[in-house]
Amino acid sequence: MPYKAALVGNPNSGKTSLFNDLTGSNQYVGNWPGVTVEKKSGFTAGKEFEVVDLPGIYSLSPYTMEEIVTRDFIIDQHPDVLVNIVDGTNIERNLYLTLQVLELSIPTVVAVNMIDQVRGGGGDIDCDRLSAQLGVPVIPISAKTGYHVDKVMKTAKKLAGTNWRAEDVVRYDSASRQMLHEIVSILADYCDDSDRLLFYAGKLVEQDENILRRLKLPEEAIQAVDRIVALFLSKAEYGDRETVMADIRYRYIEKLVAGSVKKPENSGALSTTDKIDKVLTNRFLAIPIFFLIIFLMFGITFGPVGTFLQDCVDYLFNDILAPAVSRLLLIANAPDWTHSLLVDAVIGGVGGILTFVPQITLLFMFLSFLEDSGYMARAAFIMDKIMRKFGLSGKSFIPMLMGFGCTTPAVMAARSLENEKDRNLTIMLTPFMSCGARMPIYALFAGVFFEDNREIVVFSMYILGMAVAVLSGILLSKTVFRGVFSPFVLELPQYHMPSFRAIMLRTWEKSKGFIIKAGTIIFAMSVVVWFFQNFDASFQMVSNSGDSMLGQLGKWIAGLFAPLGFGTWQAAVSILTGLVAKESVVSTMNVLYADGGSISAALSQVFTPLSAYAFMAFTLLYMPCISAFATIRREMNSMKWALATALYQTGVAYLVSLLIFQVGSFVTGML
Amino acid sequence: MEQPMKHRRKEPQNLHELGVGQCGVVTEIRSTGAMKRRLVDMGITPGTTVYVRKVAPLGDPIQINLRGYELLVRGSEAREILIRTGV
């Protein structure tokens, strides 16, 4: 059996680099059960260790999903050894988590990362001295160059499974130590988990609700703890109960650091990061540069390069694979329906979805670069004031902007938001950004009904989408997400050149996830939709999809759309097939309306300019295509949330369309 | 030498009033609950020296330096962090 090791550390401490060093490409990415926090694990070479990469956190407080996941994992799963990675260039704040981790009495190796950078600047960290004071091995490493990484795991192997008690190691100052030990001795009578007593004692001082629930202490024990804390607070100048533990730890860290850390000699001079920020977050240049970066990323992903690669994939499926399969089926004398199923539904459906892969890959290469280099935090700094107005944070801007290209990768990009509320709200609003696939619908209708002001009408769709997103953001953050804690207290990490391998690993992970999804859920849904589109209720294949079950369904629900001005079954069926991909709305209308003739003539008989506009608004706002829906489900890690999102979007679409048509009819009636 | 009266300004009382390039020592955190906890977890404890590095191009949030690293805080939070200046 391999030992179970867990990596803990602050965000930006190089935790992911170390994890990649240890596991190579031998890693698995998933979610922690029940939450949308990413879980990574993998095996070291030789399978000596199974390594779990815990989420990057600053503290073991109970306020974010990431912190709770980490705490619960360490307490309940008992890893054999913890590797605590510490950013050597920012050691004071990083050691704050270290002290909390040590309280858990799990054998721990502290790895001081970026030691090359510390030494390069003329500073140094006396790891032996730090080790003597912390009571655990402290090893200087560089995850980027691989320096001493093997030593970390060798030390971890020696420690794995050994027993030790935090009370013997974690010292603090004498008054605080005494207070904690008094609480520990009370706890010892009620709690079986004797190794975790010091951790629990600290959490009781902080009045941590989760721990109070977990321990189920009787009232007299809680009162005894309260008396001990009150007495301590009355004697020392430590502020209040909520902050006292933080204060104790930071004071202790200041002492540790004073003895073991030599600050760089040129600490007054401008660092490279400061110099870059002089330009990138400059008062006047920051916003133009930000938009230039976005423009480049957007231009390459959804512009010529991305489109070319997309066309290549499309060519592969529709011009090589599809005819080949057709020919094979012909030779094999297979029945017509197999042709329709394999070529139209499977190759057409899955192939259509796989054409997104090049764009997703490109987009994630850019996003990983922005994230790993440290620019994403600057983007949040620049855009926060605007995004906050509708209940989001600065980091929501990039995913939402990507939504103008394609909803699916945009929703995946929301992963960069650390906070669950901001992430879910961003995911819910991104589909309102008018994606590229909706363009053919606007082009068709604007061409037929608004020939003279085509551009203005199409542009108004984009504005409508943004307006609905803004209003929904305000509405949802004041209702559904009301009172959810989403702090914007964000570290601005130093810039550094991301490693090629890290970017490739991350990009591969995203693309792989998408390809798997295309091969499973989207494949299944394409087949189901194909079935309903081609068969009637007695399972006879039909030549006109108006007679199919989907057509029947369209006829049933057509009445629903009458108040919106387009209560025809053809429009209803188009809306249904638009769920496969929004551009299908146009191809379906071509089949159902044109009937060999001109689609424009047919449309202008059925729609008025007003009902056409209402229809465009509906197709803009209603639930996104199945690819986007499946991604939303995956990223929110909840079918319930994904369905609620789809329902909300469709509801909004209905209301807005209704408003446009009814108010429009009223106004034109008055004229 | 004492400054003439007209140059003397009101002493800043909280982190939000501190100008770019100025330092202050944290005296009290007025925020409550989870936000307070997050601020102290990030090292904004009483007695910590905080330096205001920059204000975002749109005027908010602010970039501060403390304990050797850079942190972004919104104005609404900075107002709740009381400080004293001078020694």
Side-chain angles (χ1 to χ4, degrees):
Chain A
M1 273 284 282
Y3 288 117
K4 197 154 56 176
L7 277 181
V8 287
N10 284 188
N12 312 307
S13 59
K15 202 163 55 64
T16 308
S17 303
L18 181 62
F19 181 70
N20 289 344
D21 283 345
L22 294 175
T23 59
S25 51
N26 191 2
Q27 44 184 263
Y28 311 93
V29 184
N31 270 309
W32 292 90
V35 291
T36 54
V37 179
E38 199 167 76
K39 180 182 184 175
K40 282 196 206 167
S41 62
F43 288 94
T44 54
K47 300 228 167 190
E48 269 184 329
F49 285 97
E50 185 193 355
V51 187
V52 177
D53 188 18
L54 294 168
I57 50 169
Y58 295 109
S59 166
L60 292 177
S61 77
Y63 294 113
T64 66
M65 273 346 283
E66 286 78 5
E67 291 167 337
I68 294 171
V69 160
T70 305
R71 273 164 44 142
D72 291 353
F73 177 83
I74 298 175
I75 297 174
D76 299 329
Q77 307 284 314
H78 290 276
D80 298 305
V81 62
L82 290 176
V83 176
N84 172 218
I85 181 162
V86 166
D87 175 0
T89 63
N90 180 5
I91 195 156
E92 240 178 271
R93 205 214 45 231
N94 274 255
L95 284 176
Y96 180 71
L97 179 67
T98 306
L99 292 182
Q100 296 185 62
V101 167
L102 291 182
E103 286 172 11
L104 287 158
S105 298
I106 307 271
T108 303
V109 184
V110 175
V112 178
N113 192 19
M114 305 188 208
I115 195 71
D116 43 351
Q117 216 175 314
V118 173
R119 287 174 184 160
D124 205 359
I125 295 168
D126 186 345
C127 289
D128 293 335
R129 194 187 144 114
L130 210 53
S131 168
Q133 285 174 312
L134 288 173
V136 293
V138 178
I139 299 167
I141 70 160
S142 167
K144 202 173 169 189
T145 64
Y147 170 74
H148 272 178
V149 167
D150 51 334
K151 198 169 163 190
V152 171
M153 291 327 277
K154 267 185 211 142
T155 315
K157 199 181 166 190
K158 268 185 236 152
L159 286 185
T162 57
N163 262 324
W164 67 299
R165 304 252 305 178
E167 289 93 314
D168 305 331
V169 187
V170 180
R171 294 194 178 91
Y172 304 132
D173 60 292
S174 59
S176 315
R177 190 165 63 225
Q178 198 195 334
M179 167 189 68
L180 289 170
H181 283 205
E182 280 171 28
I183 300 174
V184 164
S185 59
I186 293 174
L187 275 175
D189 295 340
Y190 301 100
C191 178
D192 300 331
D193 192 2
S194 62
D195 286 342
R196 245 60 68 195
L197 292 183
L198 186 65
F199 175 75
Y200 292 144
K203 293 294 149 194
L204 288 182
V205 175
E206 290 169 345
Q207 295 177 300
D208 186 315
E209 303 270 336
N210 292 35
I211 298 297
L212 278 166
R213 266 199 304 276
R214 183 186 275 263
L215 292 176
K216 296 191 193 77
L217 292 178
E219 194 54 38
E220 68 261 27
I222 291 175
Q223 281 168 4
V225 171
D226 287 348
R227 273 196 302 275
I228 294 169
V229 179
L231 185 69
F232 174 78
L233 288 176
S234 70
K235 282 196 287 192
E237 65 321 352
Y238 270 113
D240 50 35
R241 189 158 176 177
E242 292 160 281
T243 61
V244 60
M245 284 308 297
D247 213 349
I248 290 171
R249 291 189 191 111
Y250 270 113
R251 285 183 196 208
Y252 185 60
I253 291 168
E254 283 165 22
K255 250 185 267 168
L256 285 177
V257 168
S260 309
V261 178
K262 185 175 155 235
K263 293 253 159 75
E265 283 146 6
N266 57 346
S267 56
L270 283 183
S271 67
T272 316
T273 293
D274 293 335
K275 284 179 201 153
I276 299 174
D277 268 342
K278 275 229 174 291
V279 181
L280 292 190
T281 61
N282 177 286
R283 249 176 89 190
F284 304 105
L285 294 177
I287 294 175
I289 293 175
F290 173 72
F291 279 101
L292 188 73
I293 291 172
I294 299 273
F295 179 78
L296 272 178
M297 178 160 82
F298 209 77
I300 294 177
T301 309
F302 298 110
V305 181
T307 318
F308 171 75
L309 292 171
Q310 188 171 30
D311 289 345
C312 290
V313 177
D314 189 54
Y315 181 79
L316 198 72
F317 277 92
N318 285 327
D319 296 291
I320 297 181
L321 193 61
V325 173
S326 290
R327 220 169 307 134
L328 268 177
L329 291 173
L330 209 65
I331 294 166
N333 218 356
D336 274 355
W337 68 267
T338 53
H339 181 272
S340 165
L341 174 64
L342 283 176
V343 178
D344 299 342
V346 175
I347 298 179
V350 175
I353 304 278
L354 288 180
T355 55
F356 291 128
V357 169
Q359 290 183 339
I360 287 177
T361 308
L362 279 172
L363 188 61
F364 276 98
M365 275 163 52
F366 285 115
L367 288 175
S368 304
F369 182 83
L370 292 184
E371 181 101 39
D372 292 355
S373 65
Y375 185 75
M376 209 61 117
R378 271 80 185 173
F381 181 55
I382 296 165
M383 296 310 295
D384 185 64
K385 196 174 177 188
I386 297 176
M387 301 307 282
R388 192 187 327 162
K389 291 212 165 71
F390 39 104
L392 294 165
S393 99
K395 280 198 169 183
S396 312
F397 191 83
I398 289 181
M400 294 197 62
L401 199 72
M402 292 297 115
F404 286 123
C406 175
T407 309
T408 300
V411 166
M412 286 161 82
R415 271 282 163 111
S416 72
L417 283 110
E418 294 87 0
N419 181 277
E420 193 175 30
K421 174 218 150 179
D422 290 347
R423 192 166 49 226
N424 281 350
L425 189 52
T426 306
I427 291 173
M428 289 180 89
L429 301 184
T430 299
F432 289 133
M433 305 288 118
S434 182
C435 73
R438 287 169 236 195
M439 198 57 188
I441 308 175
Y442 309 152
L444 174 66
F445 279 83
V448 175
F449 296 97
F450 305 99
E451 215 177 327
D452 296 335
N453 14 16
R454 202 183 302 191
E455 292 81 10
I456 299 172
V457 166
V458 173
F459 188 66
S460 74
M461 281 293 126
Y462 283 78
I463 300 292
L464 178 67
M466 286 190 271
V468 168
V470 168
L471 291 175
S472 299
I474 295 169
L475 179 79
L476 291 171
S477 60
K478 289 200 169 140
T479 52
V480 182
F481 295 104
R482 197 187 160 158
V484 179
F485 177 60
S486 64
F488 186 84
V489 182
L490 197 69
E491 181 187 0
L492 209 53
Q494 297 194 13
Y495 286 109
H496 60 91
M497 196 64 199
S499 84
F500 180 74
R501 188 175 64 144
I503 288 182
M504 284 309 160
L505 268 174
R506 180 120 56 129
T507 305
W508 165 236
E509 210 171 80
K510 290 284 174 188
S511 310
K512 189 175 73 178
F514 184 77
I515 293 167
I516 290 172
K517 203 178 63 192
T520 52
I521 177 163
I522 295 173
F523 169 75
M525 284 170 100
S526 300
V527 172
V528 169
V529 172
W530 169 85
F531 181 75
F532 283 106
Q533 203 174 357
N534 286 282
F535 286 81
D536 63 16
S538 50
F539 300 116
Q540 295 299 307
M541 198 162 176
V542 294
S543 53
N544 183 340
S545 55
D547 302 328
S548 69
M549 278 185 273
L550 198 69
Q552 292 300 325
L553 185 62
K555 282 168 193 167
W556 275 352
I557 63 168
L560 280 177
F561 295 114
L564 315 186
F566 45 88
T568 65
W569 68 267
Q570 291 95 331
V573 172
S574 311
I575 285 168
L576 288 174
T577 55
L579 295 178
V580 180
K582 290 228 167 165
E583 61 263 43
S584 306
V585 170
V586 172
S587 51
T588 308
M589 287 207 144
N590 265 321
V591 172
L592 298 184
Y593 272 128
D595 207 22
S598 140
I599 175 125
S600 353
L603 281 180
S604 51
Q605 281 179 355
V606 192
F607 285 86
T608 64
L610 184 62
S611 67
Y613 196 78
F615 183 78
M616 285 161 75
F618 189 86
T619 52
L620 159 70
L621 300 172
Y622 81 118
M623 76 172 275
C625 64
I626 41 175
S627 159
F629 177 77
T631 310
I632 290 172
R633 199 218 72 84
R634 198 173 107 114
E635 294 296 317
M636 287 184 150
N637 198 20
S638 153
M639 192 49 149
K640 202 180 89 192
W641 269 95
L643 285 174
T645 302
L647 208 65
Y648 175 77
Q649 287 154 343
T650 311
V652 166
Y654 193 86
L655 272 179
V656 171
S657 250
L658 183 73
L659 217 62
I660 290 173
F661 186 70
Q662 293 299 336
V663 172
S665 303
F666 182 73
V667 171
T668 40
M670 299 252 293
L671 293 175
Chain B
M1 264 211 21
E2 221 182 281
Q3 297 260 318
M5 279 300 276
K6 59 177 176 179
H7 286 305
R8 193 179 282 166
R9 291 175 54 203
K10 194 174 154 278
E11 284 289 302
Q13 303 293 311
N14 61 50
L15 187 56
H16 189 66
E17 290 172 5
L18 215 57
V20 172
Q22 281 189 294
C23 278
V25 175
V26 177
T27 54
E28 192 188 335
I29 296 122
R30 285 259 182 92
S31 324
T32 52
M35 181 53 83
K36 181 174 192 171
R37 186 54 200 280
R38 170 51 68 106
L39 292 171
V40 296
D41 278 345
M42 297 307 280
I44 307 180
T45 55
T48 311
T49 303
V50 178
Y51 169 79
V52 178
R53 169 95 59 194
K54 209 173 241 185
V55 175
L58 298 172
D60 198 21
I62 59 171
Q63 179 182 346
I64 60 174
N65 178 287
L66 73 153
R67 300 187 186 276
Y69 81 101
E70 308 288 324
L71 188 68
L72 304 178
V73 205
R74 284 179 180 164
S76 50
E77 268 84 66
R79 237 172 254 125
E80 303 294 311
I81 300 170
L82 305 191
I83 49 123
R84 63 181 156 80
T85 51
V87 188

